[in-house]
Structures are given as structure tokens and as C-alpha cells.
Amino acid sequence: MSATFSSLSFRNYRLWFAGALVANVGTWMQRVAQDWLVLTQLTSDSGVAVGITTALQFGPTLVLSAWAGLLADRFDRRKLLVLTQVLQGVLAAGLGVLVLSGRAELWHVYVFAGLLGCVTAVDGPVRQTFVAELVPARRLSNAVGLNSASFNAARLVGPGVAGLLIAAVGTGWVFVINAVTFAATIVSLTLMRRADLYPMPHAKRAKGQIREGVAYVRNRSDILVIMVVVGVVSTFGLNFQLTSALMARLEFGRGAQEYGILGSVLAIGSLTGALLAARRERPRVRLVIGAAFAFGVTTGVMALMPTYVTFALACIPVGLASLTMMTAANSAIQMSTDPAMRGRVMALYMMVFLGATPVGSPIVGWIGETFGARWSIGVGSISALLVSVGAAWWARSHWNVRVRYHVTSRPHLEVVHLGLPVADATAAGERRATTAPARVGAQEAADRQHAA
């Protein structure tokens, strides 16, 4: 089996991958249907209402993630995942019944979005850390990359199918179908062989465990840089459901089917990025920063596209850049974190990554309504460029790194370590220089020994 798909050689991971793929298709279908329901049926093209719905769905992450991470570190992750899948299925079915009965109102969608947000706030850290139990440690980066591939393969299919179903039978049936898809994950979890798992240590019950997780992250400057970059980009840039709906509806005058197609085209780039990530053995902080910069450039170009077709084509590099940033951030944090702390650290990461959405979505929606749909994308582009440049400058000055580019000689990209103070070397995860300035190629220079 090729290096890209090596994790699929493990039976438990194959079951997880297949079940998650089906459930992810349903999740993307519901996301598209939910936004379209709010935008076209329950309001008069209100970007703010869509933003509020998104904020309510992701808002609980800000409040519950820390406790969810502690649950992931303490309890049986497989049992927790079965519970979260059942609850998500029940909520999707409930909203579907309301819509099909013709009784759905905007506040109903708000309530269901908030409840779903509470469940996914618990599901996220557990799901992220459970992957590490399905494969050996040496395959973790590959497993994380394939997880993203599954999510984005579903994103490739889900929005397009949702658009067709909305046009054919309405949004209500999309929610009902999504409810059924959660059964795939539940079945896959129950079929796994416990003897084939690679269990991580569980944290024992004690006082101050959440504070312990916060302190751990505070002393890791590499993780902090990743969180700042991903947090800013997520707040203002990763609002594709909202911005694509505004562009399709208001800028290009298109319907639900064309809106769904935009999500599928975006997923072409995302899936490509996920498959490339699966081949990457050790993601770097510099890759997160570089991908964030690329995201700023590509979204800026996308915002300027004059027609629906050119806008759709511009979604591909945006998907590639955003997925590269997200998978690199996820893998870099998981692979460098003490297994007993991983649930809490990933919970804090999810708090930054998903918890930023409730802050950003209403702002981006207001910008789209006030200044035009293109500016809802433009604000994300500008934010990504500023934070990536700022992070690169900070890393250069605090980690004492110099980057040089040679046009005519190899390696073309060269990272020079000028010697790091002990504290900075430990916090940043850099290998401390003990001799005169050492010149190495970019790959070797980025091969950091993370503090564990």
C-alpha cells in the first residue's frame, strides 16, 4: 500500500474511515441545507442571520471544549463517540421533522444549532484524540491526513448532493438523511476489535487538570504560534458556508444548486491538500505559517473574480491552502504533545479553531450585508496575510532563525539557526544550536525536536 494510504492497512482505522466518510457526507449536506433554509426561507437573504446560526452552532466550543478535553483524557473515547453520534442523529432528525411539518421558524433553527454545538464541542476533542488509538504512533500524521481527506471527500460530494436534494425535495429531507448517516459511524465503532487498538494513557482524576492543560500550552511557544495563526484565519477567513452563500445569491444571482457546487469545487483543493498531508511525516510550524499566507493570497484573488465560473475555479487553490494549514496545525500539535495531555491540548486548539467562528461569522455577515459580498471574503484575506507575516516576524526574532533563498544553488531555501537560548529552544521545540551558525537545508532545519 502506498505511503499516502498506509493507515488503511489497519482494520480498525479502515472501519473508522468508512463510517466517518458516510457521516461526513451527511454533515456537509446539513450545513448547506441549514444555511440555505435560513437565507432563503426564514429570512430575506440575511447574512447576519446565517452568521448568528453559525455562531450558535460553534459557540459552545468556547465554553465546553476544556471540559470535553478532560473527558477525552479520562474516559473511554469509543463509548463517548457512540454517545455523541446518537445525539447528533437525534438533533438532525428533530430539525428535519420540524421543517417537513411546515412549522420551522428562525428561532427553532437557532435552538437546534446551539444544541448541536454543545454535542460537537464534546465530540471534537474526543474524535481528534481517538484517531491516535487506531494506528501506531509512527502512522499518526498519515491517519490525521487521511481523516482530513475523508472529511473533504465528503465535502466534495455533500454540498452538491444537498443542492440537488434541496431543489428536488426541500431542506427538510436533507436533515432526515443526515440523521440516518450517523448510523455508519456507530456501526464502525461497535465493530472495532479492542485488542487491535493502541490505547493511550488516561489521566487520573485530580484537581486542577484543566489549569494543567492551559499551563502546558502556555509554556509551548510553538503551539501558541499555531493557535494564534489558526485562530485569526478561522475567525475571519474560514466562513465559506456564509461567504459562498452571499456570493452565489447576491453577487451572481444563483440558486441552491450552484451554491452547493461551490462547496464541492472548494473541496477539490481541500482533498488534494489532505492527500498531500497524508504523505507528510512530520508537519512543521513554518508550514502552518506559509499555508496561512497562501490562503490570504488565494482568497484575495477569489474575492476579485468577476464571474461565477471564475469564482468557482478560484475556490480550488483556496481549498488547498486552507486544508494544508489545518492538517499541518492538527498533526504538529498532536505529534508533539504528551499523550496524557493530548485531549486537553486538542480541546484548547479546537476552542481556538472552532470557537473563533461565533465571533467572526456575525462580523463577516455584517460586512457582507453592509459593504458587499466580496468584502466578506476580503476581510479574511487581509487578516490571513497580516497574521502570517506577523507570526513569521515573531518566530524569526524569538527563535533566532534566518531564512535565505538561493536562485542558482541548492538547497534553494535555507534556514540558518544562529543559536537559541535554552528556554526559547525548549518552548519553541527547536533543536538547540551548540556550535557556530549551522547551515542546513529547509527540510532538515524544520525537523524540530518538540518538547514532550
Side-chain angles (χ1 to χ4, degrees):
M1 186 173 292
S2 71
T4 303
F5 302 99
S6 59
S7 292
L8 293 176
S9 62
F10 300 92
R11 179 181 182 274
N12 284 346
Y13 187 82
R14 287 198 303 273
L15 288 169
W16 170 259
F17 184 88
L21 180 61
V22 175
N24 284 334
V25 170
T27 297
W28 278 110
M29 290 168 57
Q30 170 145 338
R31 288 184 179 183
V32 170
Q34 179 178 272
D35 288 350
W36 199 253
L37 173 69
V38 171
L39 189 67
T40 64
Q41 293 178 237
L42 302 181
T43 69
S44 299
D45 299 325
S46 174
V48 172
V50 176
I52 292 173
T53 304
T54 304
L56 288 169
Q57 185 166 328
F58 293 102
T61 302
L62 286 171
V63 180
L64 300 177
S65 274
W67 284 269
L70 189 55
L71 289 175
D73 281 340
R74 277 187 186 172
F75 299 106
D76 188 314
R77 299 173 184 90
R78 183 162 60 157
K79 292 179 180 178
L80 286 173
L81 284 171
V82 171
L83 176 61
T84 59
Q85 301 310 293
V86 170
L87 292 175
Q88 288 180 79
V90 169
L91 289 172
L95 182 56
V97 170
L98 266 179
V99 175
L100 290 173
S101 68
R103 298 177 179 177
E105 298 180 18
L106 184 59
W107 72 269
H108 289 141
V109 179
Y110 286 166
V111 170
F112 274 90
L115 292 173
L116 182 61
C118 292
V119 178
T120 54
V122 176
D123 180 80
V126 181
R127 176 182 293 269
Q128 296 292 334
T129 52
F130 181 65
V131 174
E133 296 193 24
L134 301 176
V135 297
R138 68 182 186 279
R139 300 295 185 194
L140 179 57
S141 180
N142 177 259
V144 171
L146 287 180
N147 258 18
S148 295
S150 168
F151 187 71
N152 285 282
R155 189 179 187 178
L156 187 63
V157 176
V161 173
L164 294 173
L165 286 174
I166 291 170
V169 296
T171 55
W173 282 109
V174 177
F175 299 133
V176 173
I177 292 170
N178 178 44
V180 175
T181 63
F182 286 106
T185 306
I186 296 171
V187 171
S188 72
L189 288 166
T190 56
L191 290 177
M192 288 180 183
R193 295 172 183 161
R194 183 173 293 276
D196 293 340
L197 293 174
Y198 298 84
M200 294 190 301
H202 288 281
K204 296 181 180 179
R205 186 180 182 86
K207 292 183 178 180
Q209 288 180 304
I210 293 177
R211 291 195 301 272
E212 185 183 6
V214 173
Y216 182 90
V217 171
R218 191 171 58 240
N219 291 320
R220 289 283 303 276
S221 64
D222 55 331
I223 295 179
L224 288 174
V225 168
I226 291 173
M227 286 187 173
V228 169
V229 171
V230 172
V232 172
V233 175
S234 178
T235 300
F236 299 106
L238 299 181
N239 295 285
F240 299 129
Q241 293 168 248
L242 169 60
T243 56
S244 294
L246 291 175
M247 289 293 291
R249 177 80 171 176
L250 303 180
E251 192 69 26
F252 301 121
R254 302 301 179 107
Q257 185 172 343
E258 290 83 1
Y259 167 46
I261 289 172
L262 288 178
S264 296
V265 174
L266 184 75
I268 295 174
S270 299
L271 180 58
T272 303
L275 293 175
L276 291 174
R279 297 181 62 87
R280 201 174 291 122
E281 293 186 2
R282 187 176 294 175
R284 326 294 181 191
V285 177
R286 66 180 174 86
L287 180 60
V288 178
I289 296 173
F293 183 83
F295 178 84
V297 173
T298 53
T299 50
V301 172
M302 183 173 70
L304 299 175
M305 290 295 101
T307 67
Y308 174 83
V309 173
T310 56
F311 180 84
L313 292 175
C315 288
I316 297 175
V318 171
L320 174 61
S322 61
L323 202 285
T324 299
M325 181 193 70
M326 288 185 283
T327 53
N330 188 314
S331 297
I333 292 176
Q334 287 217 54
M335 293 182 71
S336 67
T337 302
D338 185 340
M341 296 288 298
R342 191 171 292 162
R344 280 163 284 177
V345 173
M346 289 305 298
L348 292 172
Y349 170 72
M350 297 297 290
M351 183 185 298
V352 172
F353 177 48
L354 296 178
T357 302
V359 178
S361 290
I363 296 173
V364 172
W366 175 79
I367 289 173
E369 281 192 8
T370 306
F371 301 101
R374 294 184 185 278
W375 275 108
S376 67
I377 301 173
V379 67
S381 171
I382 295 169
S383 299
L385 290 172
L386 290 175
V387 74
S388 58
V389 171
W393 177 85
W394 188 93
R396 179 180 182 275
S397 60
H398 286 75
W399 293 344
N400 213 7
V401 173
R402 299 292 181 269
V403 179
R404 298 171 182 170
Y405 186 78
H406 306 283
V407 178
T408 58
S409 62
R410 293 192 175 188
H412 295 298
L413 185 64
E414 183 181 56
V415 179
V416 182
H417 293 257
L418 301 179
L420 298 173
V422 174
D424 286 348
T426 301
E430 294 284 346
R431 182 185 295 123
R432 186 185 176 197
T434 57
T435 59
R439 292 187 174 186
V440 291
Q443 181 68 26
E444 294 163 308
D447 187 14
R448 295 176 176 141
Q449 299 297 317
H450 291 283

